[in-house]
Amino acid sequence: MDPYDQMDIEETGPRVTVREAASDHVDFTLTNVDLAFANSLRRVILAEIPTIAIDLVEVEANTSVLADEMIAHRLGLIPLNSKQVDDVLYTRDCECDQYCEHCSVTLTLHARCTGNEIMKVYARDLVVGEPRPNEWVGNPVITDPEGLGAVICKLRQGQELRLKCVAKKGIAKEHVKWAPTAAVAFEYDPHNKLRHIDYWYEEDPVKEWPKSKNAAWDEPPQEGEPFNYDAAPTKFYFEVESIGNLEPDAVVQQGIKVMQQKLAAVIQELTGDEGRNGDYAMRSPDGMNGGMGNEYSMDQGYTTPFVNGGGQSAWGGGMTPFGATPYG
């Protein structure tokens, strides 16, 4: 018998187990972390992953029944491919006056109805301009079988829509149009052994509150088992649903990367050492990138690039165009 099989080896560091993966969602468990870490990852995935979305709309002609503001709002919610969005600068970090090819992607739309039937204008009708930071960023995300994309508006005979869109980089904390996910499901302790939830019921809580699918992955409480007042959750169940601008695995990896950046900025502030990037560099635990070799694979370690004493936010840029910090 191998002597190593008899050794009691304790797992250290976060561990991710992927239960299901598809093109639009990923289901995984996160263990060996505390509740604060898991919830921080959830919040970062929801609100602080950079993507690209239409931010400015210059309407040249609009004779449709929809107002300019309504069409601009609909255009902003069309998901755009954000692959390698790090190639795009934040507008506040760019040296241009308003926008340029380094901090934005330009899209144009020109549609005119000449027939008797109602004409629908789709996301596929948006034409991406050149040059742009890379060949993917800014392309409208189209996932329907017909390859049409979201409906922008409808036109009757003689009506016309001609406009120019400017897509910029941002995060969902500024506006929901930059959100990379439609939803992030998060659960722990599906059997409620920790009693963090007090179920309201009329007769039988077991019948009135059915267990989730995650209950099969967790050990149920034993009959007569005493309550452990010191117990804390260490296993968390995530399901991330992407809207299409980033792949689900890229969303999770980018979320971890943003957390590393924020923690590195905090450590830099606490230590007060702007130039030191050795012992205080944030590094991923072994195996956190899962051996993925695509462009979304995480760096083995991260050192904060901020050399201004932490005056910038963790996702880049310290000021909005209005002169206030993005966090208010």
Side-chain angles (χ1 to χ4, degrees):
M1 179 180 294
D2 191 340
Y4 292 100
D5 293 339
Q6 300 177 358
M7 297 178 61
D8 185 12
I9 302 177
E10 182 180 358
E11 294 183 356
T12 59
R15 180 177 180 180
V16 176
T17 302
V18 179
R19 300 189 296 178
E20 182 183 354
S23 60
D24 59 348
H25 77 280
V26 61
D27 189 334
F28 65 94
T29 62
L30 179 63
T31 56
N32 296 338
V33 299
D34 59 11
L35 179 58
F37 181 95
N39 191 50
S40 297
L41 178 60
R42 178 189 68 86
R43 291 170 62 92
V44 167
I45 289 175
L46 281 171
E48 299 192 50
I49 295 178
T51 61
I52 192 167
I54 293 175
D55 191 45
L56 297 176
V57 178
E58 300 174 1
V59 179
E60 299 178 11
N62 176 23
T63 56
S64 69
V65 297
L66 296 181
D68 295 352
E69 294 81 3
M70 179 67 71
I71 293 179
H73 180 265
R74 296 178 65 85
L75 288 168
L77 296 180
I78 294 176
L80 303 180
N81 194 326
S82 299
K83 188 176 181 180
Q84 293 188 4
V85 73
D86 290 340
D87 295 341
V88 184
L89 296 176
Y90 285 103
T91 302
R92 54 184 166 269
D93 296 334
C94 191
E95 297 179 354
C96 64
D97 293 334
Q98 189 175 16
Y99 60 86
C100 65
E101 66 271 15
H102 302 295
C103 64
S104 65
V105 176
T106 302
L107 301 94
T108 56
L109 173 64
H110 187 194
R112 181 180 177 86
C113 180
T114 57
N116 295 325
E117 299 295 330
I118 294 177
M119 173 184 174
K120 294 183 179 180
V121 182
Y122 295 95
R124 70 170 183 180
D125 299 319
L126 290 167
V127 179
V128 184
E130 298 290 346
R132 51 178 169 161
N134 60 56
E135 59 181 306
W136 304 285
V137 69
N139 292 331
V141 175
I142 300 175
T143 58
D144 59 293
E146 293 79 14
L148 301 175
V151 177
I152 298 174
C153 70
K154 298 179 181 179
L155 301 177
R156 293 297 298 267
Q157 186 175 17
Q159 293 181 339
E160 180 183 10
L161 181 63
R162 185 170 70 252
L163 49 82
K164 175 182 177 182
C165 307
V166 179
K168 296 184 179 182
K169 181 179 176 180
I171 61 173
K173 185 171 284 188
E174 299 178 60
H175 195 284
V176 71
K177 63 186 175 184
W178 282 296
T181 58
V184 179
F186 175 75
E187 185 183 17
Y188 67 92
D189 188 26
H191 294 285
N192 198 29
K193 292 189 294 183
L194 301 176
R195 302 179 188 175
H196 286 182
I197 299 177
D198 186 13
Y199 291 117
W200 180 91
Y201 62 94
E202 293 181 349
E203 297 179 359
D204 187 355
V206 177
K207 294 181 179 179
E208 297 175 21
W209 292 92
K211 303 295 182 184
S212 69
K213 65 177 183 179
N214 298 322
W217 289 71
D218 211 277
E219 184 179 352
Q222 302 299 321
E223 186 71 24
E225 179 182 355
F227 181 72
N228 184 1
Y229 290 90
D230 298 325
T234 58
K235 189 174 185 179
F236 305 90
Y237 305 91
F238 283 82
E239 186 167 1
V240 178
E241 181 181 350
S242 170
I243 65 170
N245 49 10
L246 286 174
E247 295 178 355
D249 59 335
V251 172
V252 178
Q253 293 178 38
Q254 290 286 346
I256 297 174
K257 179 180 178 181
V258 171
M259 283 189 64
Q260 288 179 309
Q261 294 173 348
K262 293 171 74 70
L263 291 172
V266 170
I267 291 177
Q268 177 183 328
E269 282 291 319
L270 293 176
T271 58
D273 193 346
E274 301 177 4
R276 186 167 182 173
N277 58 7
D279 296 338
Y280 303 106
M282 299 306 297
R283 291 182 290 272
S284 303
D286 294 339
M288 281 297 287
N289 65 353
M292 300 179 183
N294 56 30
E295 61 275 3
Y296 296 117
S297 296
M298 290 167 38
D299 296 332
Q300 293 301 316
Y302 179 83
T303 302
T304 176
F306 308 142
V307 292
N308 65 344
Q312 292 177 307
S313 62
W315 42 270
M319 305 290 287
T320 65
F322 303 102
T325 62
Y327 299 101

